[in-house]
Amino acid sequence: MNKPNADLTRNSSALPLVTRDQVLFRVTGAPYRQITEVPEYQFSDIRPDDNVLDIGANVGAFCLRAARLSPLVTAVEPVTADVLEENVRLNHADVRIIRGALGTGMPAEISWDGCRLMSPTWTLGNLIRMAGGCDFLKCDCEGAEWLIQPRDLDGIRRIEMEIHIPPISGPPNPALLDYIGDRYTFSIDCSPVYSTLGVMGILHATRK
């Protein structure tokens, strides 16, 4: 198993910084992509009292910006959590971090750019309970979105979600798509900021 965060744990204060939209990110030598910009997501309508849940937080590009709009932000990340924690400290952000992934509740092997580890997983319902609620969901979890039980979206006002298709994920979940279609006004941006085989696009959904 790779140790993806070895460079960070040696001496994080000696590592260089980059600034994106006045958000600071520590630059590490880890072998995976460290995403610092999220132009594909729409989130200017986060409310000051929203519980925001960022699933697949990577190194904090979304959650650090969301924390400017609400103090109730929870980030879920299995692989890059050490770098994420450093970036949260660096920005003095009010972000709670859950080390793990969206899933069935059973441990699972998670892979990101060739870095693999065994991670705890939780259902969306359990993650929402751990976070104290969810009004705004951002989800980029490499296909695990199709494990979401539709009822777990009850009460979520806004969804920003990267939607995956094979070969990244299994087949789409028709029940989840039907639930979103019935209860949300939505669009799918089929031209995300990068083009990857297995990405359908970005879902932008607002509860009716």
Side-chain angles (χ1 to χ4, degrees):
M1 180 187 301
N2 294 333
K3 280 192 69 94
N5 298 313
D7 287 342
L8 181 69
T9 55
R10 284 194 194 104
N11 186 2
S12 63
S13 63
L15 296 170
L17 304 176
V18 295
T19 303
R20 300 283 188 267
D21 301 328
Q22 300 181 333
V23 181
L24 294 174
F25 295 92
R26 193 72 75 184
V27 177
T28 81
Y32 46 68
R33 281 169 292 163
Q34 297 167 59
I35 297 168
T36 59
E37 297 179 275
V38 283
E40 65 269 37
Y41 292 113
Q42 302 169 7
F43 57 95
S44 62
D45 58 329
I46 290 175
R47 299 172 182 173
D49 59 348
D50 273 351
N51 278 288
V52 180
L53 184 58
D54 179 1
I55 296 176
N58 194 261
V59 298
F62 180 90
C63 66
L64 292 172
R65 291 171 172 87
R68 295 173 170 177
L69 303 173
S70 169
L72 305 171
V73 179
T74 300
V76 181
E77 173 54 47
V79 177
T80 65
D82 286 345
V83 188
L84 173 61
E85 283 189 350
E86 173 67 10
N87 289 332
V88 167
R89 286 193 297 268
L90 188 64
N91 288 275
H92 307 287
D94 193 358
V95 175
R96 178 188 177 192
I97 297 171
I98 297 174
R99 287 174 170 262
L102 177 67
T104 63
M106 298 295 293
E109 184 179 76
I110 306 295
S111 176
W112 174 245
D113 284 354
C115 293
R116 291 180 170 82
L117 53 78
M118 289 300 295
S119 172
T121 75
W122 293 274
T123 66
L124 178 60
N126 282 333
L127 286 171
I128 290 172
R129 283 186 283 275
M130 293 164 70
C134 179
D135 304 291
F136 193 110
L137 172 66
K138 174 264 180 181
C139 186
D140 181 1
C141 54
E142 305 309 300
E145 66 271 14
W146 300 123
L147 300 175
I148 292 174
Q149 296 299 310
R151 63 180 178 274
D152 288 340
L153 296 178
D154 289 348
I156 296 178
R157 185 185 80 256
R158 281 276 284 111
I159 301 170
E160 291 285 308
M161 181 185 296
E162 186 167 278
I163 298 177
H164 300 87
I165 54 177
I168 291 179
S169 74
N173 179 349
L176 182 64
L177 294 175
D178 288 345
Y179 180 98
I180 292 171
D182 288 343
R183 292 167 175 80
Y184 289 84
T185 300
F186 71 94
S187 63
I188 298 176
D189 183 352
C190 294
S191 301
V193 295
Y194 57 91
S195 178
T196 302
L197 181 66
V199 176
M200 179 187 296
I202 307 297
L203 171 75
H204 314 286
T206 301
R207 186 167 283 272
K208 296 177 181 177

